[in-house]
């Protein structure tokens, strides 16, 4: 049993597929008013070192829908690592709450929380990974195309936390991942290595030729060029990323039934043009909504079922 949800690398392909199937089934049951409120009187502590719209609202809403409660803990309130060491925060929250969700800068902070809290800990984005996003994304792909295996996802932009989690998720389910990025912005070499160890040498490619990659891609995906914590590099990044965007020209190179995805927040005119965003807004909003559905299933699995089996 997996107590925590820190990285998709920790799960087997079978576990990834089962969680996605379960989330899709639970979504239908929820919409039919048939989903049991399985977390009655349970509490989730939510630690945020960075801003959030989707992650905060979806976790809090999911806890409410399951009959439980969520507490928002801002960094200034708890002083993670300054007022109190991470190890003590983990142990105290473990005595009072039934789960901990954390959005952190250093990936090691969420790892330490998981090590020291006796309750499930969920990575809600670190500088290195964003596994909840990648799971909701594959759920969206499966709902749209009916299957995952054999599909190709082209990520246009920075080899960032979202890219790393998506690449690993793709490898787990037999999808191909391509990153189209400017020189100097690939995924970390260790991330690429572990993805290829999982899915084989051809499952993860890095290129500077987005157009050629788009020709054989089912999904065109992008994220901001400037992640939270990189604000000082903003002007340089905007210069360097220049053309690594999803626009109508790139979309025209892709198969006619290709979809466009974005984890949001989106910066129109930079990584995606307004016309492409609006033409694909239905898919992008389904993707955002699926954060709620996937995480509701994840919370039930970790807290009510006792872990990912
Ligand atoms: N996609 C995502 O995680 O959004 P937030 O940063 O608003 O939570
Ligand atoms: N890569 C982005 C994702 C935001 C959801 C960031 O880390 O800011």
């Amino acid at each position: 049993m997996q107590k925590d949800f820190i990285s998709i690398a920790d799960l087997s392909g079978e576990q990834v597929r089962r969680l996605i199937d379960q989330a899709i089934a639970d979504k239908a049951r929820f919409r039919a008013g048939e989903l049991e409120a399985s977390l009655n009187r349970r509490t989730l502590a939510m630690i945020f070192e960075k801003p959030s719209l989707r992650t905060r609202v979806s976790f809090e809403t999911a806890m409410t829908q399951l009959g439980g409660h969520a507490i928002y803990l801002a960094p200034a309130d708890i002083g993670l690592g300054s007022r109190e060491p991470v190890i003590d925060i983990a142990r105290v929250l473990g005595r009072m709450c039934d789960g901990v969700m954390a959005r952190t800068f250093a990936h090691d902070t969420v790892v330490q929380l998981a090590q020291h809290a006796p309750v499930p800990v969920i990575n809600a984005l670190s500088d290195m990974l964003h596994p909840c996003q990648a799971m909701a994304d594959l759920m969206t792909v499966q709902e749209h195309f009916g299957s995952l295996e054999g599909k190709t996802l082209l990520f246009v932009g920075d080899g960032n936390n979202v890219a790393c989690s998506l690449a690993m998720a793709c490898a787990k389910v037999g999808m191909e991942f391509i990153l189209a990025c400017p020189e100097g912005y690939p995924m970390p070499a260790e991330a690429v290595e572990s993805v290829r160890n999982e899915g084989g040498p051809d499952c993860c490619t890095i290129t500077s030729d987005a157009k050629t990659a788009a020709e054989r891609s089912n999904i065109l995906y992008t994220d901001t060029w400037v992640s939270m914590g990189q604000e000082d590099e903003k002007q340089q990044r905007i210069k360097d990323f220049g053309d690594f965007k999803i626009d109508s020209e790139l979309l025209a190179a892709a198969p006619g039934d290709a979809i466009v995805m974005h984890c949001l927040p989106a910066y129109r005119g930079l990584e995606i043009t307004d016309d492409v965003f609006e033409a694909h807004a239905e898919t992008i909003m389904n993707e955002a909504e699926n954060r709620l559905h996937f995480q509701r299933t994840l919370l039930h699995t970790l807290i009510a079922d006792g872990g990912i089996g």
Side-chain angles (χ1 to χ4, degrees), residues 62-105:
M63 283 304 289
T64 304
Q65 291 174 346
L66 292 172
H69 179 67
I71 306 175
Y72 174 75
L73 299 168
D77 296 340
I78 60 170
L80 189 78
S82 55
R83 181 171 185 264
E84 209 164 350
V86 174
I87 176 172
D88 290 352
I89 292 178
R91 289 185 293 189
V92 170
L93 291 177
R95 295 292 182 112
M96 297 181 182
C97 300
D98 303 281
V100 177
M101 184 233 82
R103 166 167 285 194
T104 63
F105 287 97

Side-chain angles (χ1 to χ4, degrees), residues 51-56 103 125 130 133 228 263-265 291:
S52 169
L53 172 69
R54 279 145 293 276
T55 304
R56 178 179 176 181
R103 166 167 285 194
L125 182 149
H130 197 359
Q133 181 69 54
M228 293 178 278
C263 61
L264 303 177
R291 294 291 307 281

Side-chain angles (χ1 to χ4, degrees), residues 125 130 160-162 223-224 227-228 263-265:
L125 182 149
H130 197 359
N160 63 15
N161 44 11
V162 173
D223 179 19
T224 181
S227 285
M228 293 178 278
C263 61
L264 303 177

Side-chain angles (χ1 to χ4, degrees), residues 2-11 19 59 100-104 106-117 119-135 161 164-166 168 294 298 302 308:
Q2 290 283 337
K3 173 180 87 72
D4 308 298
F5 184 76
I6 303 297
S7 164
I8 291 172
D10 300 335
L11 303 180
L19 272 174
F59 270 105
V100 177
M101 184 233 82
R103 166 167 285 194
T104 63
H107 183 70
D108 189 53
T109 304
V110 72
V111 170
Q112 274 190 55
L113 285 168
Q115 268 166 8
H116 299 292
V119 295
V121 174
I122 297 170
N123 179 0
L125 182 149
S126 65
D127 283 347
M128 198 189 285
L129 298 172
H130 197 359
C132 292
Q133 181 69 54
M135 293 296 282
N161 44 11
C164 288
S165 283
L166 267 173
M168 181 52 84
F294 169 71
L298 179 67
L302 292 176
I308 303 169

Side-chain angles (χ1 to χ4, degrees), residues 30 35-46 54-72 96-101 120 122 291-304:
F30 177 77
L35 194 73
E36 189 198 341
S38 58
L39 297 184
N40 185 29
R41 299 171 80 175
R42 305 290 191 99
T43 300
L44 178 73
M46 306 194 300
R54 279 145 293 276
T55 304
R56 178 179 176 181
V57 174
S58 54
F59 270 105
E60 191 161 338
T61 302
M63 283 304 289
T64 304
Q65 291 174 346
L66 292 172
H69 179 67
I71 306 175
Y72 174 75
M96 297 181 182
C97 300
D98 303 281
V100 177
M101 184 233 82
I122 297 170
R291 294 291 307 281
L292 166 66
H293 299 297
F294 169 71
Q295 287 156 198
R296 194 178 50 232
T297 292
L298 179 67
L299 287 164
H300 168 89
T301 305
L302 292 176
I303 300 175

